[in-house]
Amino acid sequence: MRNLKVTMAYRGTKYHGYQRQDNALTIQEVVEKNVSRVLNHPVTINGCSRTDTGVHANCYCFNVYTDKEIPVRNFIRGVNGYLPDDISILTCEDVDENFHARFDCLGKEYIYKLHCSESKNPFANDLMLHYRRKFDVELARRAAEYFIGTHDFAAFCSNSASASTTVRTIYDFRIENVGDCVIMLVKGNGFLYNMIRIMVGTLIWVNEGKISCDDIPAIMLSKDRTKAGKTAMPHGLYLNRVFYGENSIDELQCRSSVKEMRYG
């Protein structure tokens, strides 16, 4: 039995997240259907993460088992030939039978994109959050420093009761201007439900003067979701990278320089 490790990219606009649902179209459903067509047998893919409705991925990983001897290049070409234009297989490789895309994941990197302009961008209305105010990047950077490290992020989770623990480690939180866009890059060992979107919403509150940078530690200690900022819209969020294997630990845990930041 072969175990294939596959990466893909997708535009989440038309989908109700990654995970299969009975009454809505999802990424998993579409990918499983078309991988099954290529392998000529039913499959269940094991995804690295659940992404919400409207969230995108620059690099999403899943693994799938098969006894077919199809070359990996043919697998990529075959599946891409069936997939819709908003989902694309990027890579495929044979890995150890015990590899699991979710359970072997050491950490993830997300980016969040804001288009900061009075005028909307008709080419990115579902790919960036349209934010009409000026965004103070330096102020947001100072606030984001409080997120870095190991903390209890219960105040930054929409449903903390569903998690066995709300303690997570954030290794990096970079914020940069790229033209009229602001891009936030976050690396961590794991993320709670809506955690990144709530952190982004909290930084937006900081930008708008609703809370100060120095309020963030107290918000963390409160473990009270109502004290943190709003949940930012999903369409600005992208799963950007997934980290596996000991050789990726240093890259996951280091702070990124501006030149090293990858936006997909």
Side-chain angles (χ1 to χ4, degrees):
M1 181 68 69
R2 299 171 69 191
N3 187 12
L4 301 178
K5 177 184 176 184
V6 184
T7 63
M8 65 177 171
Y10 57 81
R11 183 172 182 153
T13 306
K14 297 179 181 178
Y15 302 95
H16 287 254
Y18 165 78
Q19 190 170 25
R20 178 183 286 274
Q21 300 179 31
D22 292 335
N23 58 354
L25 184 66
T26 67
I27 297 292
Q28 183 178 11
E29 176 186 346
V30 173
V31 173
E32 284 181 346
K33 173 185 174 181
N34 291 293
V35 170
S36 297
R37 293 175 71 180
V38 170
L39 297 179
N40 200 29
H41 66 80
V43 301
T44 298
I45 64 174
N46 301 306
C48 65
S49 178
R50 300 176 183 179
T51 56
D52 293 337
T53 300
V55 173
H56 317 290
N58 291 323
C59 186
Y60 185 100
C61 182
F62 68 86
N63 71 289
V64 60
Y65 292 97
T66 184
D67 57 4
K68 300 298 182 181
E69 297 183 358
I70 181 172
V72 294
R73 183 176 66 174
N74 292 359
F75 174 90
I76 295 170
R77 289 180 174 178
V79 179
N80 277 336
Y82 289 124
L83 285 172
D85 290 341
D86 51 8
I87 306 175
S88 178
I89 302 299
L90 305 177
T91 66
C92 176
E93 61 179 310
D94 284 275
V95 292
D96 186 271
E97 187 174 347
N98 294 321
F99 172 82
H100 192 286
R102 177 184 173 191
F103 300 129
D104 288 345
C105 176
L106 300 176
K108 302 181 182 76
E109 175 182 277
Y110 285 85
I111 60 175
Y112 196 94
K113 298 182 179 182
L114 295 87
H115 173 232
C116 301
S117 171
E118 180 61 35
S119 300
K120 61 185 178 182
N121 182 347
F123 304 105
N125 65 322
D126 60 341
L127 298 174
M128 301 182 190
L129 174 65
H130 182 205
Y131 187 69
R132 290 182 172 86
R133 303 190 186 196
K134 182 178 180 181
F135 194 87
D136 188 334
V137 170
E138 289 301 326
L139 181 65
R141 285 172 179 163
R142 292 200 299 273
E145 283 293 317
Y146 287 113
F147 293 133
I148 296 173
T150 301
H151 308 286
D152 189 328
F153 285 94
F156 299 87
C157 174
S158 291
N159 185 12
S160 59
S162 65
S164 58
T165 176
T166 50
V167 175
R168 296 291 188 273
T169 300
I170 299 299
Y171 299 114
D172 199 6
F173 201 126
R174 305 285 299 185
I175 306 173
E176 301 296 338
N177 272 119
V178 181
D180 57 3
C181 300
V182 170
I183 298 181
M184 303 182 186
L185 178 148
V186 189
K187 287 195 294 187
N189 66 349
F191 297 92
L192 300 164
Y193 183 55
N194 284 342
M195 178 174 160
I196 295 177
R197 291 167 57 192
I198 296 170
M199 289 194 292
V200 172
T202 301
L203 295 181
I204 289 174
W205 272 18
V206 169
N207 185 70
E208 295 174 358
K210 295 178 180 178
I211 59 175
S212 74
C213 296
D214 297 333
D215 288 333
I216 291 179
I219 294 171
M220 282 188 181
L221 290 174
S222 76
K223 302 181 184 180
D224 184 350
R225 169 67 190 94
T226 65
K227 296 186 181 301
K230 63 184 178 181
T231 304
M233 297 295 289
H235 59 270
L237 183 62
Y238 299 69
L239 176 58
N240 200 46
R241 282 197 288 175
V242 190
F243 296 87
Y244 295 100
E246 292 185 359
N247 59 344
S248 70
I249 292 177
D250 289 342
E251 187 177 9
L252 169 65
Q253 296 180 351
C254 74
R255 302 288 299 271
S256 302
S257 70
V258 175
K259 292 182 179 179
E260 292 171 337
M261 290 178 68
R262 293 167 48 187
Y263 307 130

